[in-house]
Amino acid sequence: MTPQNEIRDIQVVASTNSVFADAAKDVITNWHWNELAKNITDKAVKTQTRFDFCFDTPEQSCKELKPNYSCPSSDIIYSTGTRIVKY
């Protein structure tokens, strides 16, 4: 992210499917970066974000799953959504 809160050079490090990689890039690109304070730093900042995707099945609900890793930070945001498939 640049000092003006522009996002550049998004790279997916690892993905099990290109659909997940595209969805993660879409979230990052369309997040409300312009709402953050600008010029906090005078240099671009390189960050890394982890996305985990889960699909409910008749055998398992994503609401019951807990990540088996921990982030050393306190700013974790859990987000849920629904994918609607049209046939």
Side-chain angles (χ1 to χ4, degrees):
M1 178 174 12
T2 69
Q4 293 75 34
N5 300 343
E6 297 168 319
I7 302 302
R8 297 187 183 158
D9 303 323
I10 297 172
Q11 297 177 6
V12 175
V13 176
S15 176
T16 58
N17 188 295
S18 64
V19 172
F20 299 136
D22 292 342
K25 284 195 250 184
D26 188 50
V27 168
I28 292 169
T29 302
N30 293 306
W31 197 74
H32 303 276
W33 299 106
N34 59 339
E35 295 177 12
L36 296 175
K38 292 181 177 48
N39 298 315
I40 292 175
T41 180
D42 59 350
K43 298 177 184 175
V45 177
K46 182 178 180 178
T47 63
Q48 186 171 359
T49 301
R50 177 181 173 143
F51 288 86
D52 291 316
F53 294 89
C54 177
F55 294 97
D56 282 338
T57 66
E59 296 82 27
Q60 183 172 4
S61 169
C62 294
K63 292 178 184 176
E64 298 168 2
L65 294 177
K66 300 286 184 202
N68 61 357
Y69 60 89
S70 65
C71 182
S73 182
S74 61
D75 61 351
I76 298 172
I77 299 172
Y78 291 100
S79 176
T80 59
T82 304
R83 179 174 183 234
I84 300 173
V85 179
K86 296 182 181 180
Y87 293 97

